[in-house]
Amino acid sequence: MLQRFNNIVILTGAGVSAESGVATFRGPDGLWEGHRVEDVATPEAFVRDPDLVQKFYDERRAKLKTVEPNAAHQALARLDQTWAGELLLVTQNVDDLHDRAGSQRLLHMHGELNRAWCLACDARSPFDGDMASGPPCPACGQTGSLRPDIVWFGEMPYQMERIEQALRSCDLFVSIGTSGAVYPAAGFVQTARYHGARTLEMNLDPSEGSFHFHESRMGRAGELVPDWVEQVLSHGLC
Ligand code: BV8
């Protein structure tokens, strides 16, 4: 069933960055491999073993310098630059690949590897070095007070009001490369569908919430997403 759309919300997860060489979380070679989530991605873990947590993020931040946006990131950036209607790309990813591809109408709901949060002055600043050594806060100069500006389990994702408003008013919700294992992101499809949006999932395997989607396309984001963007830009349809 082909429909016309005006207002699109897109949610991405680790699968959109997989073909760039960024490890996903729950796959066989997953990022959590060798780490229990609770041991590295929670405020409690940071209090218990700050060095382990800082090193986990320092490694991933350093890895970002060796990878490039892939065809899916580039297609989404092209959609952002060309689509005359409303568009919001909400990413769960903390990598900077959507940013580097050129997406503007972009929101990192789980924070960003390349930002630091100072627990002394509360400032959040761009940061792309190592944090384990206790470098000075770019804003206040205090040393040893930085944590990754990342939303850990048990912490509130960023800009939820703005996201919920977008989900209520969109007429197309597209989920790309996410397992649907983490809330509140995994519940976005239900909110969008409840408010009348058409819902499409593009993923390597069916996500935990596949049954909520009107349509699921299985395959690699690097192939599916450019084709989908072409379809939308040529016909405004999906
Ligand atoms: C919140 C940053 C409430 C860190 C992440 C008990 C206590 C507290 C909360 C909870 C609790 N029990 C449950 C919860 C809620 C919890 C939750 O959902 N837990 C889960 C595990 C059950 N959620 C939270 O805690 C959230 N906060 O609820 O706050 C609150 C209320 C009031 C006041 C204060 C607080 C916060 C969640 C955010 C956690 N941080 N990331 C970091 O990156 O290190 S989440 C983490 O998982 C990732 O960031 C990622 O975003 C997210 C989801 O993973 P995916 O992106 O989907 O990746 P995954 O590997 O799972 O899947 C990849 C998919 O891609 C697969 O399906 C695969 O098939 C596909 N794929 C692979 N290759 C390709 C592909 N697809 C296409 N092409 C390919 N080539």
Side-chain angles (χ1 to χ4, degrees):
M1 174 181 66
L2 289 177
Q3 280 176 263
R4 287 212 168 286
F5 298 98
N6 172 58
N7 183 336
I8 306 175
V9 171
I10 299 167
L11 172 70
T12 60
V16 82
S17 298
E19 291 156 80
S20 296
V22 178
T24 62
F25 292 90
R26 295 170 184 81
D29 61 343
L31 253 182
W32 301 129
E33 188 89 328
H35 293 289
R36 285 177 335 119
V37 170
E38 313 72 68
D39 294 343
V40 286
T42 64
E44 295 76 11
F46 188 59
V47 171
R48 185 175 58 244
D49 190 347
D51 208 43
L52 170 76
V53 175
Q54 292 288 21
K55 287 202 170 97
F56 176 64
Y57 288 99
D58 284 353
E59 279 164 26
R60 290 168 62 191
R61 196 173 302 112
K63 169 83 180 166
L64 272 193
K65 297 181 172 118
T66 69
V67 298
E68 296 295 327
N70 63 51
H73 298 106
Q74 282 149 5
L76 291 171
R78 177 165 162 255
L79 179 67
D80 183 296
Q81 286 142 19
T82 317
W83 184 250
E86 296 279 305
L87 177 79
L88 180 62
L89 171 52
V90 180
T91 187
Q92 300 174 86
N93 300 340
V94 294
D95 66 51
D96 60 349
L97 295 175
H98 283 307
D99 313 72
R100 285 162 55 191
S103 285
Q104 303 277 322
R105 295 180 273 185
L106 169 63
L107 190 167
H108 285 271
M109 67 178 288
H110 290 161
E112 297 171 69
L113 275 171
N114 285 339
R115 289 179 71 78
W117 177 9
C118 177
L119 299 179
C121 72
D122 205 33
R124 286 166 165 79
S125 317
F127 179 88
D128 68 357
D130 280 350
M131 240 178 239
S133 57
C137 163
C140 75
Q142 173 73 41
T143 55
S145 60
L146 297 180
R147 63 162 273 185
D149 186 15
I150 297 253
V151 177
W152 285 326
F153 288 95
E155 296 184 325
M156 180 58 92
Y158 289 149
Q159 300 194 56
M160 284 303 295
E161 272 300 303
R162 180 177 169 206
I163 296 170
E164 277 151 8
Q165 173 52 42
L167 292 169
R168 286 193 294 270
S169 48
C170 71
D171 44 27
L172 176 61
F173 175 78
V174 183
S175 176
I176 303 169
T178 181
S179 61
V182 174
Y183 287 84
F188 289 173
V189 57
Q190 295 172 69
T191 305
R193 184 163 184 165
Y194 177 81
H195 288 278
R198 179 150 172 77
T199 54
L200 165 66
E201 170 182 62
M202 291 183 270
N203 210 53
L204 200 56
D205 319 298
S207 69
E208 291 184 23
S210 264
F211 58 96
H212 289 299
F213 289 86
H214 291 104
E215 182 189 357
S216 282
R217 297 181 191 175
M218 296 292 109
R220 293 184 314 108
E223 281 160 29
L224 292 178
V225 175
D227 289 351
W228 171 72
V229 167
E230 190 50 41
Q231 180 185 357
V232 169
L233 289 181
S234 312
H235 314 293
L237 299 173
C238 162

